[in-house]
Structures are given as structure tokens and as C-alpha cells.
Amino acid sequence: MVAKGDMVYAWTSDAEIAKKAECGGAVTGLLKYALENKMVDAVLAVKKGADVYDALPVLVTDPKDLAATAGSLHCGTLLLSKTVKKYLAGAKDRKIGMTVKGCDLMGLYELSRRNEINMNNLLLIGVNCGGTVSPVSARKMIKEKFGVDPDSVHKEEIDKGQFIIEYEGGHKGISIDELEDEGYGRRSNCRRCKLKVPRQADLACGNWGVIGDKAGKATFVEVCSQKGAELLDKAIKSGAIASEAANPKGIEIRGKVENAMYKLGEKWRNKDFSALKADPWGTINKETSRCIKCYSCIENCPVCFTSADALKKSSYMITSGEVPPNPMFHLRRFAHISDTCVNCGQCEELCPMEIRLALFSHAIRVEGDAAFEPKLGAPAYKN
Ligand code: FAD
Ligand code: SF4
Ligand code: SF4
């Protein structure tokens, strides 16, 4: 009987999923089992679109379509939480199984606190996340640093601290540290992210800690809730998922990697936030003066859900139609979101004017947490 707190190596017994999967296919195999056995009505996952830089969210209701969603897309910078609120009625009318990175999960928690999502209807398979690379920078990095045509790449992965590509004619890996020292690599919000193992999901899955003959062929699954235990237990008993106890040495290694990644996130926070220290308001004011008021940062933020129409109507401090907007436009937005900013990076990633919005709201959140609510300690998730 599987119980909360268990740690196992798991893999799928479905050959089609195994072929496409990242590390043995336990995640897709579990979602397929949940859908086939009506534990969920649909699965929200991510599939490869035109190429490896194109990650598409898909809602699957037919279990046979799930194999196409297997595999990890490290240029998949998309955030699934707002998709649930905007397009899936906050999961209020159906049960949805989802794969979630740490930022997807934190966004869901924040939306649930605002009553926009029914968490009870979600079955959450968390994936550990070392970070994602923006598709545009990934193409540039592959061309300039790897010396490879980005269009010839058919697989990418992040393994043992390296960004690795497979392309027509070979494969190549370069250390993430080296890439990041030269301004390439993960998105800046990902560098600062500290939620590496998403234990607030029902299961937390990843490749860290899988050693020996199962390395690359199984996923390390930590059981984080009763719901997760029930899913894994039933899937194992049915034969959909195979498993064995996690190697104790692997558990130790996973702990060490998680800790090292946490410290790395802290290092990047110090670096990024210190650079702002000299002139925070001057920097924010200068960068936001490029704003063209497209509202993308508002549309895509998981903790903000006004509409462009509502914003236009509330014009005590901001003149409609004015570009760039009065600095109050941004001050008001920061005041509204920053105390719950989850550092998902969507605002910055999707800003057409490349304003470092995530840096600003994340810095405000972290400083605010420390300065104004120190007794509250960490929230339900540690971001
Ligand atoms: P699969 O059966 O192959 O299923 C993978 C699932 O991930 C599918 O549901 C797919 O739709 C979904 N998915 C793919 N790309 C994305 C995306 N961008 N956003 C959301 N969902 C996505 N594990 C670690 O231990 N350390 C890491 O540093 C680490 N980094 C990761 C970074 C990313 C962006 C992702 C997506 C995963 C990462 N993982 C990491 C998890 C690991 O790569 C495997 O996903 C995990 O071991 C499960 O393997 P599997 O074969 O069971 O999954
Ligand atoms: Fe992964 Fe964190 Fe970046 Fe989200 S913000 S993609 S969880 S590293
Ligand atoms: Fe302005 Fe960028 Fe936000 Fe668009 S996404 S409103 S340009 S800050």
C-alpha cells in the first residue's frame, strides 16, 4: 500500500508512452491511468508544437492522445495556472489532472485563495524544475554558443548541470554555469526560483536521485498527499505503472541537489536585487517609460485578473490612451500584485518592450515578506 511520504522509482508499462517520455514515462502513465479510470474528466498537459521551442498547452479527454504529451520541454515557459482560470472555468465544473512546475503550482494556490479555482477538483502531478529557457534566447544561444542551426535541433534536455541538444549530425552539452556567466541560459526569474521540488502537488516527480540501472529510465516519485498515494497505489496494482523502492543513496543525492539549487536561487536573488539597490525607483521609472500599454503583463499574471476594459474605466490617476502611461500605471500594478508575486516570470517573458517586470515585482515581494510580515514565515509554498 502506497502512503504519503513514500519515495519510489516508477516507470510506465505503456510502450508508446515510454518511447516519447523523458524518464520512463511515469507522469504520463499516471495521468493516463487517472483519465481511463475516471479519476479525472480531462488532463491538461503540454505537447511539442512546430519544434522544440514551441510548447503548447493541450486538454486531453481521450486517453490514447496522452502519449503525444510525454517528454519535457525546457523551452516551455508557459504557465498553466491562468489557463485553468481563463479557459477551464477554474476547474469548478470538472476534475482535471495536470502536470505542474513549481510556478504553475504557486499560481494555482494564489488563484485558489482568490476563489478562482477549485483545488479539490485538481489532481496535480508536480515535476521538479531546474528552470526553463525562453525560446528566443534558446535559439540565439544554440546558434552563437553551440554553433548549431537552431532549426536542426530535435531534442533538448537539462542534465547534470548541462544544457544538452541533439541535432541532425550529433549532440552537444555546455554547462549551464558557463552559459549563464555569458548571459545565456535560464530565464532570470528561473535563476531566482527556489521551489525546485513541488511537494504541494499530489506527487513530486523528477530525475534527481535516480541512480544505477534505472537512471534515465525511471522517475523519482515522492508521494505528497493522500490523493497522490491513492493514484500511485491503484496504478501500480493495475500494472499501468511499475515501481521499486528508491535507492537510499539516490534519496541522499536528490536532497543534496535540491539544497544546492535552493542556494543557487538565493545567490541569484542577492545578485539581481543588489543591482537594483543603487537606484530602485530610477531604474523602474526608466524601464517602464518604454511601456506601450499593451496589457500583456496583466493578462498573463496569475495573481492579477482585471480586464483592459475595467482598467480603462478606472482613470483617477491614469489617463486613458496615454503612452507611455503615467508611472502610476505601474505603481498601481505593483501595489496590487507584488505581495503575492510568485516569480513565474510571465510579465517579463511576454512584455514586448522587454521591461524587467518580474525582477521588480519579485524584489518588492521578497523585501516586503522580510520587512513587513516576518512573523508569518514562509507561505504554503516556498518561492
Ligand atoms: P513524461 O511522462 O515524459 O511526462 C512529462 C510531463 O511534463 C508531460 O505531462 C508533459 O506534458 C509535461 N511538460 C513538458 N514540458 C512542460 C513544461 N514546460 N511545463 C509544464 N509541463 C510540461 N526533474 C528534475 O529532477 N530536475 C530538474 O531540474 C528538472 N527540470 C525540469 C524542467 C522542466 C521544464 C520540466 C517540464 C521537467 C523537469 N524535470 C526535472 C522533470 C523531469 O524532466 C521529468 O519530467 C520527470 O522526471 C518525469 O519524467 P517522465 O518520463 O515520468 O515524464
Ligand atoms: Fe521552473 Fe521556477 Fe522557472 Fe517556474 S519559475 S519554470 S518552477 S524554475
Ligand atoms: Fe507595458 Fe510591457 Fe505591461 Fe505591455 S507588457 S503593458 S508594454 S509593461
Side-chain angles (χ1 to χ4, degrees), residues 285-294 318-330 353 355:
N285 206 11
K286 183 166 169 237
E287 291 212 20
T288 55
S289 70
R290 297 201 298 271
C291 176
I292 54 170
K293 234 168 148 186
C294 69
I318 298 144
T319 310
S320 182
E322 190 183 65
V323 172
N326 183 297
M328 279 309 290
F329 174 86
H330 287 285
M353 302 312 289
I355 300 168

Side-chain angles (χ1 to χ4, degrees), residues 76-79 101-104 106 127-132 186-187 189-196 342-345:
T77 55
L78 73 186
L79 188 81
K101 307 179 293 301
C103 50
D104 297 316
M106 289 185 278
V127 282
N128 300 350
C129 186
T132 49
R186 298 168 300 158
R187 295 184 295 158
N189 65 300
C190 292
R191 296 174 192 180
R192 295 190 302 270
C193 175
K194 296 207 273 192
L195 188 57
K196 298 290 144 193
V342 297
N343 183 38
C344 66

Side-chain angles (χ1 to χ4, degrees), residues 48-67:
K48 187 168 126 185
D51 52 36
V52 294
Y53 315 99
D54 186 24
L56 302 174
V58 279
L59 189 72
V60 176
T61 50
D62 184 340
K64 75 172 166 14
D65 295 338
L66 269 173

Side-chain angles (χ1 to χ4, degrees), residues 17-316:
I17 293 176
K19 215 160 93 192
K20 265 213 81 219
E22 192 70 15
C23 309
V27 168
T28 310
L30 285 163
L31 289 167
K32 187 173 180 203
Y33 178 85
L35 189 57
E36 277 172 345
N37 291 282
K38 316 253 178 285
M39 291 171 86
V40 294
D41 303 308
V43 168
L44 177 62
V46 176
K47 90 174 185 189
K48 187 168 126 185
D51 52 36
V52 294
Y53 315 99
D54 186 24
L56 302 174
V58 279
L59 189 72
V60 176
T61 50
D62 184 340
K64 75 172 166 14
D65 295 338
L66 269 173
T69 68
S72 300
L73 293 166
H74 297 93
C75 301
T77 55
L78 73 186
L79 188 81
L80 296 170
S81 19
K82 201 133 184 195
T83 307
V84 176
K85 176 200 153 9
K86 266 173 128 176
Y87 305 110
L88 302 174
K92 290 184 178 166
D93 57 353
R94 60 187 137 173
K95 290 193 180 344
I96 299 174
M98 287 175 73
T99 312
V100 287
K101 307 179 293 301
C103 50
D104 297 316
L105 188 65
M106 289 185 278
L108 289 171
Y109 267 85
E110 288 302 335
L111 283 163
S112 156
R113 281 180 7 154
R114 290 157 176 79
N115 232 353
E116 294 290 322
I117 277 186
N118 182 357
M119 289 290 263
N120 293 330
N121 274 347
L122 296 179
L123 179 63
L124 300 174
I125 314 284
V127 282
N128 300 350
C129 186
T132 49
V133 183
S134 140
V136 174
S137 355
R139 282 183 160 273
K140 189 166 179 278
M141 171 175 88
I142 288 166
K143 191 164 171 229
E144 293 174 1
K145 270 296 286 181
F146 288 73
V148 169
D149 173 5
D151 286 323
S152 69
V153 174
H154 51 81
K155 181 154 174 50
E156 49 66 36
E157 61 175 323
I158 296 182
D159 192 26
K160 298 191 182 71
Q162 288 204 324
F163 188 84
I164 301 166
I165 52 168
E166 280 178 26
Y167 53 98
E168 286 156 28
H171 67 98
K172 211 173 199 176
I174 301 182
S175 113
I176 301 261
D177 286 345
E178 182 187 331
L179 292 168
E180 291 183 351
D181 281 346
E182 296 180 31
Y184 301 100
R186 298 168 300 158
R187 295 184 295 158
S188 62
N189 65 300
C190 292
R191 296 174 192 180
R192 295 190 302 270
C193 175
K194 296 207 273 192
L195 188 57
K196 298 290 144 193
V197 177
R199 294 190 178 85
Q200 300 73 12
D202 296 303
L203 298 169
C205 306
N207 54 308
W208 290 333
V210 184
I211 57 170
D213 62 345
K214 287 289 175 302
K217 297 185 192 125
T219 280
F220 189 118
V221 183
E222 180 174 347
V223 181
C224 306
S225 74
Q226 192 46 46
K227 220 195 246 187
E230 192 191 328
L231 170 64
L232 186 59
D233 193 57
K234 285 183 173 166
I236 291 172
K237 283 182 179 144
S238 75
I241 294 289
S243 72
E244 65 183 40
N247 183 318
K249 186 83 196 146
I251 298 176
E252 192 188 323
I253 291 171
R254 177 177 178 259
K256 283 188 179 156
V257 180
E258 183 186 6
N259 199 24
M261 291 300 290
Y262 190 86
K263 286 191 179 139
L264 189 62
E266 192 58 43
K267 190 193 98 181
W268 276 107
R269 284 180 188 205
N270 288 335
K271 193 170 176 217
D272 290 358
F273 298 162
S274 301
L276 264 183
K277 225 174 182 168
D279 183 13
W281 174 237
T283 311
I284 291 175
N285 206 11
K286 183 166 169 237
E287 291 212 20
T288 55
S289 70
R290 297 201 298 271
C291 176
I292 54 170
K293 234 168 148 186
C294 69
Y295 299 121
S296 167
C297 48
I298 292 163
E299 277 298 307
N300 294 293
C301 173
V303 301
C304 175
F305 42 86
T306 182
S307 65
D309 281 348
L311 274 178
K312 278 177 200 150
K313 278 184 207 144
S314 83
S315 56
Y316 302 117

